[in-house]
């Protein structure tokens, strides 16, 4: 079921599910690890391009999360659960 086909309330309910929250937490932790690894010259020289690609992919996911929350919670987004 795609985001476009879901109503705002259903989308908000889906985004607030524990399994979705756990996945988002894991993605945040992965992003923190990537940002930390980018600070080591030896790792950056060998894996820098892959790390930047992963960082950009996660940034897109986080932007989609915020967009889904705005659609799902509407005007209550900043104050939503």
């Amino acid at each position: 079921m795609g985001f476009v086909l879901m109503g705002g309330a259903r989308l908000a309910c889906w985004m607030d599910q524990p399994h979705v929250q756990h996945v988002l937490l894991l993605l945040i932790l992965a992003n923190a690890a990537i940002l930390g690894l980018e600070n080591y010259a030896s790792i950056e020289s060998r894996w820098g391009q892959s790390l930047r690609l992963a960082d950009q992919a996660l940034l897109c996911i986080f932007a989609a999360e915020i967009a889904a929350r705005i659609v799902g919670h509407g005007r209550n987004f900043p104050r939503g659960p």
Side-chain angles (χ1 to χ4, degrees), residues 14-75:
W14 185 79
M15 290 295 297
D16 293 335
Q17 293 293 314
H19 66 277
V20 175
Q21 295 299 309
H22 292 141
V23 169
L24 291 171
L25 177 61
L26 288 174
L27 292 174
I28 290 168
L29 293 174
N31 194 47
I34 289 168
L35 293 175
L37 289 171
E38 287 178 340
N39 290 304
Y40 291 96
S42 60
I43 295 174
E44 174 65 26
S45 66
R46 182 172 180 171
W47 298 100
Q49 186 175 2
S50 297
L51 291 173
R52 283 186 294 280
L53 179 64
D55 184 48
Q56 291 296 311
L58 288 168
L59 180 62
C60 290
I61 291 169
F62 296 146
E65 176 205 359
I66 294 296
R69 289 190 183 281
I70 290 170
V71 169
H73 292 284
R75 291 179 181 242

